[in-house]
Amino acid sequence: MNPSDQPALPHSGPQSLSPASIAELREENQTLRILFEFTLVALILFSLSITLFMFKQMRMVRTQLTEQRPFVSRLITDYQKNSEPLIRKFTGAMERFAVTNRDFQPILEKYRPVLRAYLTSPVPQPPSATAPASTQAPTP
């Protein structure tokens, strides 16, 4: 391709603008600047209102905590004195029953994860294949 075959490129130098287009550009620039400033002010007001809301919520929660702390302390004390001993007694009776009645053992194992803090015996190991045959009834 010869350089003479190429079309002429437009001149990339500064273009002269008419005074009317310069005025339009200034007006658009001013409009965009006003919109940007308005958006910033709205964002600041929104942030302040969220901060104020969070501050009020924090004060309300602290007040509720102060009011409810004695009630919750009484509930914990009542649980430790009354309910917990009953639960321990019941789970102990369930464990003793499971020792004498092997049919109940799967039921106890089902609830072992939930009652782990109250059960005293360790998790029983399943009988191994090398267990002695003395647990079977003698044949006559």
Side-chain angles (χ1 to χ4, degrees):
M1 188 177 246
N2 292 334
S4 61
D5 294 342
Q6 293 180 349
L9 296 174
H11 183 55
S12 61
Q15 296 177 354
S16 62
L17 294 174
S18 67
S21 63
I22 292 175
E24 285 178 25
L25 288 175
R26 284 187 177 148
E27 185 178 324
E28 288 178 13
N29 186 15
Q30 185 65 23
T31 304
L32 286 174
R33 184 175 177 177
I34 290 171
L35 284 173
F36 179 73
E37 290 173 353
F38 176 75
T39 305
L40 280 178
V41 169
L43 182 64
I44 290 171
L45 290 175
F46 182 69
S47 298
L48 287 174
S49 64
I50 287 179
T51 303
L52 180 64
F53 173 76
M54 295 297 285
F55 177 72
K56 284 186 174 190
Q57 289 295 315
M58 185 70 114
R59 282 183 41 197
M60 185 177 66
V61 167
R62 283 184 180 165
T63 303
Q64 286 179 349
L65 178 67
T66 304
E67 292 171 358
Q68 292 178 358
R69 191 177 303 253
F71 177 71
V72 171
S73 294
R74 275 184 270 141
L75 285 176
I76 291 171
T77 304
D78 180 53
Y79 171 78
Q80 290 172 341
K81 286 183 180 178
N82 300 326
S83 299
E84 191 173 22
L86 291 174
I87 294 171
R88 290 194 186 279
K89 183 178 175 182
F90 177 71
T91 55
M94 281 194 329
E95 283 182 306
R96 288 189 299 277
F97 183 76
V99 169
T100 59
N101 298 301
R102 292 290 175 190
D103 294 338
F104 188 69
Q105 192 68 35
I107 297 170
L108 183 63
E109 292 307 313
K110 178 180 177 183
Y111 293 103
R112 185 172 292 278
V114 178
L115 298 172
R116 183 177 319 207
Y118 302 107
L119 296 174
T120 56
S121 68
V123 176
Q125 299 299 323
S128 63
T130 60
S134 64
T135 57
Q136 295 179 352
T139 55

